[in-house]
Amino acid sequence: MTSILTYLAAFLLYILIGWYFWRNMWNSLPSKIDEREFVTVNWVHYAMLAPLALHAITLYQSMFIGAGLSFGLGNAISSIVWLTAFIYWFSGFFSRLQGLQTLVAPIAAAAAIAILLPLVFPSVKPLENTELPAFKAHLLVAMMAYSLLAIAALHALLMTAVERHLHHPAAHSLLTNLPPLLVMEKLLFRIIWAGFVLLTLTLLSGVVFSKEVFGQSLTFSHKTLFGFISWGVFAALLIGRQLYGWRGRVAIRWTLAGFVTLLLAYIGSKFVLEIILNR
């Protein structure tokens, strides 16, 4: 009973905070903030910590049941969304990034849905070898890579909205409070670089320590294929940026393509195996 109440409390808090940001915060974001100083963060931003903490508790309760680690489709998506929301929320405490907190409302909505997924898609088979340090490091790095590249994809979508706003100034006033497009573009590539490094470490650890981490030698699967394709897409984007100055719509399209491929690599594979094939 206590566990169900925790899920419901986190769900409702996400919805309420997301709704509040949607209705009241979008038109009151500061447009100019000194980059050397922290700004006074609205109480609603601090309140977001409550559902994040409850979400973390539900993840712990659903993942650590008995021996091994329950990390099925529901827990996997919920964990990635939680870490994405936490990183994005934490960035709001830095003055130069607070103007980008316009996506708190949709992220809160996504987190509200994600927190219920472990109940809808419970883990059937616990993972093996979870006590090994190599596995723990691999899982942590992989989750951080997914989360950072998810933020990059959201950031790319926000840049698309800003670009359209330049051609249609009558759009929502929210977009007038965002940093200049060039500043957002530089931040996008910084996020992509961080995510790309972590994705590289994820793939390398999966290849080098496959026997120790997964209990078997590396096998060529859809997960492996899409993982390396995603890595190739982001690598091509970063090379294109460095050599040919790729930016704007080209950078946005490559970012979204890389993230979609990454979703197919892990979440897509888990969905097929657990839901469709029932393995």
Side-chain angles (χ1 to χ4, degrees):
M1 184 65 178
T2 303
S3 178
I4 296 299
L5 290 178
T6 305
Y7 279 98
L8 292 177
F11 173 81
L12 291 175
L13 284 174
Y14 274 134
I15 293 297
L16 288 174
I17 291 174
W19 176 83
Y20 188 89
F21 264 94
W22 185 275
R23 292 293 301 272
N24 302 300
M25 299 294 291
W26 278 31
N27 294 323
S28 61
L29 291 173
S31 57
K32 293 184 180 179
I33 303 175
D34 188 349
E35 292 188 1
R36 297 182 180 180
E37 299 178 358
F38 288 105
V39 297
T40 302
V41 184
N42 191 281
W43 68 268
V44 180
H45 189 74
Y46 284 104
M48 186 68 175
L49 183 60
L52 286 172
L54 292 175
H55 194 164
I57 293 173
T58 63
L59 284 173
Y60 182 85
Q61 291 175 341
S62 61
M63 290 170 59
F64 297 95
I65 303 177
L69 178 69
S70 298
F71 203 68
L73 177 66
N75 282 331
I77 297 177
S78 186
S79 299
I80 293 170
V81 173
W82 176 82
L83 189 56
T84 301
F86 179 81
I87 294 173
Y88 197 86
W89 168 81
F90 185 74
S91 69
F93 287 105
F94 298 89
S95 59
R96 63 192 179 93
L97 298 177
Q98 193 175 24
L100 298 175
Q101 291 298 293
T102 52
L103 289 177
V104 166
I107 286 179
I113 297 173
I115 194 174
L116 300 179
L117 291 181
L119 299 177
V120 179
F121 304 112
S123 300
V124 178
K125 182 180 178 182
L127 298 178
E128 300 176 351
N129 303 318
T130 56
E131 72 282 355
L132 298 176
F135 178 87
K136 295 177 181 177
H138 173 81
L139 183 61
L140 178 61
V141 172
M143 288 180 56
M144 292 182 65
Y146 260 90
S147 299
L148 284 174
L149 293 174
I151 292 174
L154 291 171
H155 193 80
L157 292 174
L158 188 59
M159 286 177 58
T160 301
V162 172
E163 186 179 18
R164 290 181 179 178
H165 175 70
L166 295 177
H167 302 288
H168 304 281
H172 200 288
S173 60
L174 151 72
L175 301 177
T176 61
N177 294 320
L178 292 172
L181 194 57
L182 288 177
V183 175
M184 295 181 67
E185 188 174 84
K186 290 181 180 179
L187 180 59
L188 172 66
F189 277 95
R190 290 177 183 174
I191 298 172
I192 291 175
W193 264 114
F196 178 75
V197 170
L198 292 175
L199 180 59
T200 303
L201 293 176
T202 301
L203 295 175
L204 286 177
S205 64
V207 172
V208 177
F209 302 108
S210 180
K211 187 69 176 178
E212 292 80 0
V213 173
F214 305 110
Q216 61 181 6
S217 300
L218 180 68
T219 57
F220 188 79
S221 61
H222 289 86
K223 176 182 175 181
T224 306
L225 175 62
F226 282 111
F228 278 100
I229 290 177
S230 176
W231 182 90
V233 171
F234 284 113
L237 171 59
L238 294 174
I239 293 173
R241 170 74 170 184
Q242 191 70 25
L243 298 182
Y244 307 109
W246 286 0
R247 54 188 300 272
R249 294 182 181 179
V250 175
I252 290 172
R253 289 169 183 168
W254 279 79
T255 301
L256 295 178
F259 180 68
V260 169
T261 309
L262 187 62
L263 283 180
L264 293 175
Y266 189 72
I267 301 301
S269 298
K270 269 192 169 295
F271 179 83
V272 171
L273 290 174
E274 296 184 13
I275 307 303
I276 297 180
L277 299 180
N278 195 26
R279 294 182 183 177

